[in-house]
Amino acid sequence: MLGETVPTEVSINQEQFTTEILRDVFGYQQFRPGQKEIIAAILSGQDCLVIMPTGGGKSLCYQIPALVMKGLTLVVSPLISLMKDQVDQLLAYGVTAACLNSSQTWQQQSEVIANCRSGKIKLLYIAPERLVAENFLQQLSFFSPALLAVDEAHCISQWGHDFRPEYRALNQLKLRFPHLPVIALTATADEVTRADIIRLLNLHHPLIQINSFDRPNIRYTLIEKFKPVEQLCRLVGKQGAKSGIIYCNSRAKVESTVARLQNRGLSVAAYHAGLDSLVRAQVQEAFQRDDLQIVVSTVAFGMGINKPNIRFVIHFDIPRTIESYYQETGRAGRDGLPAEAMLLYDPSDMVWLRHCLEEKPVSEQQNIERHKLNAMGAFAEAQTCRRLILLNYFGEYRSQSCGNCDICLDPPERYDGLIDAQKVLSCVYRVGQRFGVGYIVAMLRGSSHQRIHALGHDKLSVYGIGREKTAEHWTSILRQLIHLGKLRQNIEMFSALQLTEAARPILRAEVSLSLAVPRILDFKKRKNSKDQPYSSGAQGHKNATHKKYSHKKSDHELFTKLRKLRKSMADEANVPPYVVFNDATLLAMSEQIPITVDELFNINGVGKIKLERFGTSFLKVIREHVDGL
């Protein structure tokens, strides 16, 4: 095991050593953007905040330093299933790792603690509440802690979409071990959440690495609900035997959806918090091992899923936040191969969610949830490239449409929107950048609202400059300007609209601006049209997408043989198939046709340990296939 063989002190060039670990242990030919800088910062003792999309390589940012540094790396993980999955994969790489959680017997836990104390374990995965328990903290000093990695770090912030109070106690680690470097990692954190993470974890002058939130291999599509069950069945039917997740907002809908899909002969099961824990564990394991094609679930399912070959995620109901939507759709295509994220939408769903929210006690948290729900509703009703909306929401401002979403596939009619944009931006500026969408629309329309008169804003030159157009029109224009990064909504000021630097050339008329003609009645009109998830141009785009993201031409028959071999070897080892090799690695094998050990070792994802364990069997299948041609 690597935990036993890696030298306690680096005796050769550090960068070269980490590169050798990347290649020999994990089987990757080169670092992804940001990884090398993060690893160097950790090894120098610096704290880090890492924002990387799902599948972007966050885990390697602390796993490689763990193999270089002397002592134990603690990894905070919120779910038992996620811990087990990570440990299984590390063990397959030959790394000494373990987890400590309530699913283990007292004897198993004692053995893990003893191995940590003796230095046999390099990475220990643990839940936040157990890590900060006083009896564990007292033992920790005997473990020689070298690094603390906080996964899903957005859970520490009330601004985050998955706030977990138990994460707040993690700052005790910095107080007890002031020189312990901390790396906080998450795929979803806006600017406010990032600031909260740094403050609450007591990160000291951290390196902040924010990689692109873009997942170009995922196609984002919104489909207006008409006959939702029929639409869902049609969408799933088009996926063939591919793995997928379907999200619903209630347990009852999960159960009814599963029943309908099972009646059509699909391999599908339910997952929600109302099911027995043993049943949930069985469903998750079957899905991980490719024995189950589809899971229909509430938001209870997914965070612990590291399955790289999920090819589609369908939201049968609209999520409550963009962060949730981004994280849940991000579970598709973790291997970088083409994947689909489909959202079935009915405006009445938003009405129901708003009603549920307003029934909660008035609080700051309710205001936060309202802001996030409104942003999700704006995303669903947008006429701007959906990828741009997601990226700009997280502060990654872009203006070039992606060509891989339903808006790009079936673009709305465009017009010269410079004058409309100037009216909106001027209005936002004139009222002091302190008011939200509803107030700005009322100002543009010349509303007689009492608040406008009380503040004297009816005397401003921008009052009523857009009264010739409807409130729906101005709401659409405002949303487009937000999505295009010309305006931002300040969550700390009750979603007040504020100008970004990109608004300046618009106000000065230094650039042109094309906007979408608002589709005011589109939702009602299109219910009578034939339901299709993509426009007539979708097929051409689909071909373009495959051309963009596919590798060299692969041997499909060989790929099928390799998948079959992988499944049998995984079952024998009692691990999910992707722990052996993921789909991207098998695809590379079926493209490059390696027939020697050296050629197989050059395939991305084939490290030395996996080469020793699995190489002979895979080479045999490949050679037999070549001989049979």
Side-chain angles (χ1 to χ4, degrees):
M1 287 290 183
L2 282 171
E4 300 164 352
T5 59
V6 170
T8 56
E9 294 183 4
V10 181
S11 57
I12 59 176
N13 179 275
Q14 197 173 78
E15 182 176 340
Q16 180 185 346
F17 190 50
T18 56
T19 302
E20 288 178 1
I21 291 175
L22 177 76
R23 179 68 191 89
D24 294 346
V25 178
F26 298 100
Y28 295 110
Q29 310 300 318
Q30 59 187 12
F31 285 104
R32 294 187 184 184
Q35 287 180 327
K36 186 183 296 185
E37 293 77 10
I38 295 165
I39 291 169
I42 292 173
L43 293 177
S44 69
Q46 185 178 5
D47 293 339
C48 296
L49 172 60
V50 177
I51 315 294
M52 285 185 179
T54 303
K58 292 188 294 294
S59 299
L60 286 179
C61 293
Y62 61 83
Q63 289 172 347
I64 289 179
L67 299 182
V68 177
M69 302 169 77
K70 180 179 180 180
L72 177 69
T73 291
L74 297 158
V75 184
V76 174
S77 185
L79 294 174
I80 292 174
S81 56
L82 184 56
M83 297 180 199
K84 182 180 183 301
D85 185 55
Q86 293 274 13
V87 169
D88 283 346
Q89 292 198 61
L90 286 170
L91 292 175
Y93 286 121
V95 177
T96 53
C99 56
L100 199 60
N101 58 58
S102 58
S103 71
Q104 297 166 314
T105 64
W106 180 86
Q107 184 177 357
Q108 289 172 325
Q109 293 183 33
S110 298
E111 184 178 350
V112 169
I113 290 173
N115 286 335
C116 288
R117 191 160 185 160
S118 66
K120 292 181 179 179
I121 301 296
K122 293 298 295 180
L123 292 104
L124 178 67
Y125 287 77
I126 187 169
E129 55 270 26
R130 180 179 287 267
L131 175 58
V132 298
E134 185 58 34
N135 62 340
F136 188 82
L137 286 174
Q138 290 175 0
Q139 297 183 69
L140 192 55
S141 59
F142 297 105
F143 294 174
S144 300
L147 172 65
L148 172 64
V150 182
D151 201 8
E152 307 292 350
H154 62 273
C155 293
I156 200 172
S157 172
Q158 65 171 340
W159 304 104
H161 66 286
D162 196 20
F163 174 50
R164 300 192 179 201
E166 58 268 22
Y167 264 69
R168 292 287 177 96
L170 291 173
N171 60 9
Q172 295 181 43
L173 270 294
K174 265 293 191 185
L175 298 176
R176 293 212 179 202
F177 303 94
H179 301 297
L180 181 70
V182 177
I183 176 171
L185 311 102
T186 178
T188 50
D190 56 19
E191 185 177 348
V192 178
T193 304
R194 296 196 288 266
D196 234 14
I197 293 170
I198 293 171
R199 178 176 61 85
L200 294 168
L201 283 176
N202 293 324
L203 302 186
H204 183 66
H205 299 303
L207 168 71
I208 302 175
Q209 177 69 40
I210 304 175
N211 279 20
S212 174
F213 288 89
D214 193 11
R215 297 285 305 282
N217 60 315
I218 298 178
R219 177 190 297 172
Y220 298 102
T221 304
L222 183 139
I223 304 154
E224 297 159 22
K225 283 183 178 178
F226 176 38
K227 294 181 178 179
V229 174
E230 290 301 315
Q231 289 173 302
L232 178 65
C233 291
R234 196 174 305 134
L235 291 173
V236 173
K238 290 181 178 180
Q239 297 299 321
K242 298 174 184 176
S243 291
I245 304 174
I246 300 171
Y247 285 106
C248 302
N249 279 350
S250 69
R251 298 176 188 178
K253 189 171 286 188
V254 167
E255 295 288 355
S256 63
T257 302
V258 167
R260 290 174 181 269
L261 294 176
Q262 286 178 340
N263 287 339
R264 298 190 177 223
L266 293 170
S267 171
V268 58
Y271 188 106
H272 56 72
L275 295 171
D276 181 80
S277 59
L278 179 60
V279 173
R280 294 200 305 272
Q282 289 172 341
V283 169
Q284 180 161 321
E285 184 174 5
F287 185 63
Q288 296 272 58
R289 298 192 176 195
D290 290 343
D291 294 328
L292 177 69
Q293 180 196 354
I294 301 166
V295 172
V296 182
S297 175
T298 58
V299 294
F301 184 78
M303 186 181 287
I305 297 300
N306 197 26
K307 183 178 170 69
N309 66 332
I310 296 172
R311 299 268 64 89
F312 67 94
V313 170
I314 300 175
H315 282 89
F316 198 40
D317 301 303
I318 188 168
R320 289 172 170 81
T321 71
I322 284 183
E323 288 92 342
S324 296
Y325 174 76
Y326 177 82
Q327 188 173 61
E328 287 155 10
T329 56
R331 286 163 190 149
R334 292 174 63 109
D335 52 13
L337 302 179
E340 297 201 56
M342 295 166 276
L343 167 61
L344 287 162
Y345 176 65
D346 186 328
S348 63
D349 292 343
M350 284 298 298
V351 174
W352 180 77
L353 288 176
R354 287 196 174 101
H355 173 73
C356 293
L357 179 60
E358 296 309 319
E359 288 187 337
K360 293 184 176 182
V362 176
S363 65
E364 184 180 18
Q365 191 65 34
Q366 185 192 44
N367 289 331
I368 293 170
E369 291 178 22
R370 184 181 295 109
H371 168 93
K372 292 182 179 292
L373 180 59
N374 288 339
M376 189 67 222
F379 170 86
E381 296 175 9
Q383 300 191 64
T384 309
C385 168
R386 300 203 189 277
R387 195 178 312 274
L388 282 184
I389 299 172
L390 293 175
L391 297 178
N392 289 336
Y393 180 86
F394 290 113
E396 187 178 334
Y397 298 115
R398 295 191 189 180
S399 57
Q400 183 66 44
S401 297
C402 74
N404 196 21
C405 72
D406 60 302
I407 295 295
C408 292
L409 297 176
D410 183 17
E413 184 183 349
R414 313 292 297 185
Y415 80 108
D416 182 354
L418 182 62
I419 300 300
D420 277 359
Q422 288 176 325
K423 289 179 179 180
V424 168
L425 297 173
S426 296
C427 189
V428 171
Y429 179 76
R430 293 294 180 186
V431 299
Q433 304 184 73
R434 296 185 295 113
F435 299 89
V437 171
Y439 191 86
I440 299 302
V441 170
M443 280 290 296
L444 291 165
R445 295 270 296 138
S447 169
S448 58
H449 196 284
Q450 182 180 358
R451 191 182 184 202
I452 292 177
H453 291 280
L455 293 171
H457 288 166
D458 57 318
K459 304 296 192 299
L460 296 175
S461 60
V462 293
Y463 178 70
I465 59 173
R467 58 168 46 95
E468 78 283 357
K469 294 177 180 174
T470 65
E472 290 84 0
H473 173 91
W474 289 118
T475 299
S476 174
I477 301 305
L478 273 158
R479 286 173 175 165
Q480 290 185 61
L481 292 175
I482 293 168
H483 299 155
L484 290 170
K486 316 302 181 185
L487 288 171
R488 65 184 289 265
Q489 290 177 293
N490 190 332
I491 190 174
E492 295 177 290
M493 292 179 60
F494 305 100
S495 302
L497 292 166
Q498 297 176 340
L499 277 64
T500 68
E501 191 61 32
R504 191 184 301 273
I506 301 297
L507 287 167
R508 293 177 174 175
E510 296 173 348
V511 295
S512 60
L513 182 66
S514 174
L515 295 177
V517 175
R519 291 171 169 171
I520 306 301
L521 300 176
D522 249 21
F523 284 109
K524 291 182 180 179
K525 286 180 179 178
R526 281 195 263 175
K527 282 188 176 182
N528 296 321
S529 65
K530 183 179 179 182
D531 168 60
Q532 289 188 350
Y534 313 115
S535 69
S536 58
Q539 185 60 45
H541 174 76
K542 183 177 180 181
N543 292 336
T545 301
H546 279 283
K547 182 178 180 181
K548 183 176 181 180
Y549 296 116
S550 67
H551 304 263
K552 296 183 294 185
K553 184 177 180 181
S554 62
D555 187 319
H556 181 71
E557 184 181 348
L558 175 57
F559 182 70
T560 301
K561 291 177 180 178
L562 295 176
R563 279 175 58 91
K564 184 177 180 180
L565 171 63
R566 177 184 66 177
K567 184 70 170 75
S568 66
M569 297 186 77
D571 288 345
E572 185 178 342
N574 198 29
V575 295
Y578 59 80
V579 170
V580 178
F581 292 121
N582 64 29
D583 276 8
T585 299
L586 296 192
L587 186 63
M589 291 181 191
S590 65
E591 291 165 351
Q592 299 177 31
I593 320 290
I595 56 174
T596 69
V597 171
D598 286 343
E599 288 174 347
L600 185 60
F601 186 50
N602 285 327
I603 298 290
N604 225 27
V606 183
K608 283 187 175 179
I609 298 297
K610 288 193 175 184
L611 185 67
E612 293 173 5
R613 291 182 178 177
F614 311 124
T616 301
S617 298
F618 277 83
L619 283 174
K620 180 181 179 182
V621 169
I622 294 170
R623 289 166 180 162
E624 289 177 350
H625 177 78
V626 172
D627 291 341
L629 294 178

